[in-house]
Amino acid sequence: MSETVSSGARDMTVAAAFAGMRSVAPVVFRAGCPDCRGSFELGANALRLAIGATSRTTFYSFTCPQCETLVRKPAGERIVQLLTGGGVSTLRLHSAH
């Protein structure tokens, strides 16, 4: 199967369109631990994002790589955008009715 992308004047195969691309560096996030006051970088796989019905129930969490404390911090709209855009696993919390 050969997929093509129309570029107006000529057609190009998908393989040709992506031939010049290199692998993308993994996204890292800077974080800090309130317990040991350590500062470090974490990959998307080290973070979890929980999106609740309100700002009080929307947060991200990670385990501090220095003191192994579970850290939970509030996540505003901008943080949610950055984390989801960076590939962080997201859990949507549903309230019981």
Side-chain angles (χ1 to χ4, degrees):
M1 165 169 45
S2 176
E3 296 181 37
T4 60
V5 177
S6 178
S7 60
R10 65 174 213 261
D11 287 337
M12 176 184 295
T13 66
V14 172
F18 290 100
M21 293 184 73
R22 301 183 193 276
S23 64
V24 177
V27 175
V28 292
F29 299 93
R30 294 199 45 78
C33 177
D35 280 8
C36 72
R37 302 206 183 276
S39 181
F40 38 82
E41 292 183 343
L42 298 171
N45 62 342
L47 294 155
R48 297 291 176 263
L49 174 63
I51 300 176
T54 68
S55 60
R56 292 183 59 154
T57 58
T58 300
F59 61 91
Y60 66 98
S61 63
F62 59 90
T63 300
C64 175
Q66 295 177 4
C67 70
E68 298 185 359
T69 297
L70 178 61
V71 178
R72 178 176 160 167
K73 295 187 175 188
E77 189 174 321
R78 180 72 179 135
I79 297 294
V80 169
Q81 289 174 349
L82 290 170
L83 294 176
T84 55
V88 172
S89 294
T90 303
L91 173 66
R92 294 206 180 268
L93 304 176
H94 298 280
S95 60
H97 294 285

